Amino acid sequence: GESVGLHLPTLSVQEGDNSIINCAYSNSASDYFIWYKQESGKGPQFIIDIRSNMDKRQGQRVTVLLNKTVKHLSLQIAATQPGDSAVYFCAERLYNFNKFYFGSGTKLNVKP
Amino acid sequence: NAGVTQTPKFQVLKTGQSMTLQCAQDMNHNSMYWYRQDPGMGLRLIYYSASEGTTDKGEVPNGYNVSRLNKREFSLRLESAAPSQTSVYFCASSERTGGNNSPLHFGNGTRLTVT
């Protein structure tokens, strides 16, 4: 989602539904992308990653899709649970550097 | 295996005071990073160190200095703290060797308030 300053975009879903969180990245030279989950008061935790030579990667209950044509990344969470409630960030790494840049984040709120 | 350890966890400074935030990792990673996170926002890169002995500026380096003391440790120094530096500071590390990719591993952050 786009940065809206102090107010993060929020996605509210019902427990058990699927969630889709979107991210637009900025640099066509980025070669590696990561999704992080951040719970209140903690550091970001790794969820799933994908290289630029792939367009889809699946993990346990999560799938990342990469569309390089429009510089778009999405995170799909299947059967969303209350424990999935957190802020989710995407990160991109510039090719040939080991610098990572983050999007502004989306807050996921799971309603029981 | 502690991962990335940051100290202190909390700090309050007065404008103009200086302090150093400490970070150590035990994963034998070559690259280390400092980010800041302001309320409701993403992480912004302050400085990073691709390997021991090298450092480079990120997006928001002004007002900060760093030292890559050895492979394990990467410190961030505020020489003269300003209220605009009130933030949560995260240290991270990663490894990139050849074609392998490694995500960032984060510490739990230092919450800094400058009054």
Side-chain angles (χ1 to χ4, degrees), chain A residues 26-75:
Chain A
S26 55
N27 201 314
S28 56
S30 294
D31 68 339
Y32 176 51
F33 304 88
I34 311 172
W35 278 102
Y36 284 92
K37 173 185 180 183
Q38 186 177 28
E39 295 171 299
S40 182
K42 295 186 179 178
Q45 296 171 270
F46 169 80
I47 302 173
I48 191 167
D49 57 2
I50 188 167
R51 295 180 67 170
S52 59
N53 61 354
M54 304 169 70
D55 53 20
K56 180 179 180 178
R57 189 162 190 229
Q58 287 184 290
Q60 187 178 12
R61 280 202 309 119
V62 293
T63 301
V64 54
L65 298 177
L66 175 62
N67 184 331
K68 294 183 287 295
T69 304
V70 294
K71 294 191 286 188
H72 184 267
L73 200 62
S74 68
L75 176 71

Side-chain angles (χ1 to χ4, degrees), chain A residues 36 38 41 93 98-100, chain B residues 33 35 37 101 104 111:
Chain A
Y36 284 92
Q38 186 177 28
R93 183 185 70 188
N98 217 16
K99 278 185 184 182
F100 292 82
Chain B
Y33 308 78
Y35 286 88
Q37 184 176 34
N101 297 293
L104 293 171
R111 283 144 187 84

Side-chain angles (χ1 to χ4, degrees), chain A residues 1-5 7-9 22-24 38 87-90 101-107, chain B residues 37-43:
Chain A
E2 290 185 351
S3 171
V4 288
H7 303 287
L8 283 173
N22 296 305
C23 175
Q38 186 177 28
V87 177
Y88 290 80
F89 294 97
C90 65
Y101 293 94
F102 283 77
S104 55
T106 296
K107 184 173 182 179
Chain B
Q37 184 176 34
D38 299 312
M41 298 186 71
L43 291 92

